[in-house]
Amino acid sequence: MTTAVELAAKRIKTLEVQGARNVAITAIKAIEELTKKSRAQNKPQFMKELFKARDVLFSSRETEPLMRNAVRHIIYEVEKSKEKNPKELANLVHQVSSRFLQNLETSKERIAEIGSKRIKFHSRILTHCHSSTVTYLFERAKKEGKQFEVICTETRPLFQGRITAQELIDLGIKTTMIVDSAVRFFMNKVDLVMVGADAITSEGNVVNKIGTSLVALAANEARTPFYVVSELLKFDPSTVYGEYEKIEERNPKEIWADAPSNIEIRNPAFDITRRKFIHGIICEEGIISPHSVLEVVRKKYPWIFI
Ligand code: RUB
């Protein structure tokens, strides 16, 4: 029988669920579901199930530290608890998960509140891919009565830009769709760039959808402010200890389904934008410099480093 975790991992892998936030939320809910139905007789059996769930979820997509931080946090709290009864441990998973999800919600609100102040009347903003955090910020600015417009890239090869465009149109925000390679053409016509993040490294570099670093380069050359809109929980603690963020490489068929057999196709899902191209990270603690991200995360979420 397929478990809730296996099902969630499949939905994440196939991008039925996409975007770091949605991926993390889906993973947390799957773990809750799994533990609620657990038949474990004792704590070691319960832990075994949790570890297996962790491995399945972690291998669904490589570049998702928010999901990893969430799952690790849940497991850490269960491991350190003195409770031995599996039913009570499932309750604990529920409590920890709810707190985590609540914190994500609060961060999203705070980010939108702070970030929408950077959107002035009649601003034109460029975004890339689909970030639910960025879209929510736009929603907030719209609710505040601001008139602005958004240019979004189509985001090849899987066209997540269409999700963004549809959501923005539904919100009544004037939206223009462009091909990814038209970014430089439009860069002088926009006031700022706002993109999401999948991972933030200890050096303040940001990993986001492939093409983001090119958008940042174009913004830099045109002197257009480039903002990353992200929860601090996307910080990857392993980068402090020397690891590089792994970049997921996806199926070449996403690029060319019936390609000739003797061609090599590469399909990295993400790229790295260096901190020097980032004007600021709009996060729950304010708009911060990428240089200070490690320090701010240490203060706000010390448990990440355990
Ligand atoms: C989505 C993507 C998004 C970030 C942030 O890539 O790069 O910008 O995940 O999204 P994919 P959010 O479609 O491959 O998952 O703000 O919703 O966490």
Side-chain angles (χ1 to χ4, degrees):
M1 202 181 72
T2 321
T3 66
V5 164
E6 283 159 353
L7 209 66
K10 193 169 164 219
R11 292 177 65 219
I12 292 169
K13 208 183 188 93
T14 56
L15 257 69
E16 189 186 327
V17 175
Q18 62 75 234
R21 222 187 128 76
N22 292 332
V23 164
I25 293 171
T26 303
I28 295 169
K29 290 191 172 157
I31 287 203
E32 262 194 285
E33 179 81 13
L34 181 91
T35 51
K36 207 164 75 185
K37 291 188 181 147
S38 167
R39 296 223 178 107
Q41 301 292 313
N42 49 42
K43 188 163 180 179
Q45 279 178 17
F46 191 87
M47 291 313 304
K48 206 170 151 196
E49 283 179 4
L50 271 183
F51 291 140
K52 190 172 163 213
R54 175 195 61 192
D55 294 347
V56 171
L57 288 166
F58 282 16
S59 62
S60 64
R61 287 196 86 182
E62 275 176 306
T63 321
E64 299 296 347
L66 178 61
M67 167 183 40
R68 292 201 295 271
N69 287 333
V71 174
R72 271 202 215 102
H73 182 57
I74 296 169
I75 292 179
Y76 171 73
E77 291 294 328
V78 175
E79 265 185 322
K80 84 165 191 210
S81 158
K82 294 207 166 59
E83 187 56 64
K84 297 220 162 28
N85 178 332
K87 284 269 162 296
E88 292 305 322
L89 289 171
N91 266 337
L92 179 63
V93 168
H94 172 65
Q95 284 161 25
V96 178
S97 303
S98 305
R99 273 203 302 273
F100 198 98
L101 291 172
Q102 183 52 52
N103 176 59
L104 272 187
E105 251 340 89
T106 313
S107 299
K108 185 174 85 170
E109 289 296 338
R110 189 86 189 105
I111 290 168
E113 186 189 336
I114 297 164
S116 69
K117 291 190 187 142
R118 290 285 152 117
I119 299 181
K120 306 285 176 225
F121 268 87
H122 304 299
S123 287
R124 196 179 283 145
I125 305 128
L126 187 138
T127 191
H128 180 54
C129 195
H130 172 256
S131 154
S132 58
T133 324
V134 171
T135 313
Y136 192 72
L137 190 160
F138 291 153
E139 184 175 349
R140 163 100 191 200
K142 174 80 185 168
K143 278 194 183 135
E144 285 169 0
K146 287 183 183 158
Q147 272 178 27
F148 59 98
E149 57 181 282
V150 177
I151 295 186
C152 53
T153 58
E154 52 178 4
T155 318
R156 274 195 54 85
L158 293 178
F159 303 104
Q160 288 93 328
R162 292 180 186 171
I163 309 175
T164 307
Q166 188 61 59
E167 287 181 0
L168 296 181
I169 289 164
D170 292 346
L171 288 166
I173 297 169
K174 182 164 185 246
T175 306
T176 305
M177 166 73 69
I178 60 170
V179 296
D180 300 347
S181 45
V183 162
R184 182 63 192 91
F185 184 88
F186 286 98
M187 194 50 86
N188 288 109
K189 298 176 180 65
V190 301
D191 300 292
L192 60 147
V193 177
M194 282 180 169
V195 295
D198 283 271
I200 306 174
T201 74
S202 60
E203 290 158 294
N205 300 329
V206 166
V207 180
N208 191 50
K209 176 53 55 194
I210 191 79
T212 303
S213 65
L214 275 175
V215 177
L217 280 176
N220 184 260
E221 193 241 345
R223 292 177 174 267
T224 304
F226 177 95
Y227 287 102
V228 171
V229 180
S230 172
E231 298 86 351
L232 288 171
L233 283 171
K234 288 176 181 166
F235 183 86
D236 185 345
S238 71
T239 58
V240 179
Y241 309 110
E243 300 290 339
Y244 283 110
E245 188 64 42
K246 290 198 182 64
I247 302 291
E248 174 192 359
E249 182 119 9
R250 296 185 61 85
N251 194 330
K253 290 206 182 315
E254 289 179 354
I255 292 183
W256 193 357
D258 55 353
S261 58
N262 51 354
I263 194 171
E264 187 186 357
I265 297 180
R266 300 285 309 272
N267 187 15
F270 304 103
D271 65 16
I272 302 163
T273 301
R274 286 187 183 282
R275 64 182 180 191
K276 74 171 185 179
F277 299 112
I278 301 171
H279 214 77
I281 299 180
I282 305 178
C283 65
E284 61 271 41
E285 289 295 277
I287 302 185
I288 63 170
S289 153
H291 293 80
S292 63
V293 73
L294 174 59
E295 199 185 317
V296 181
V297 174
R298 261 197 212 288
K299 257 195 206 140
K300 175 93 179 158
Y301 301 113
W303 55 261
I304 266 196
F305 299 92
I306 295 169

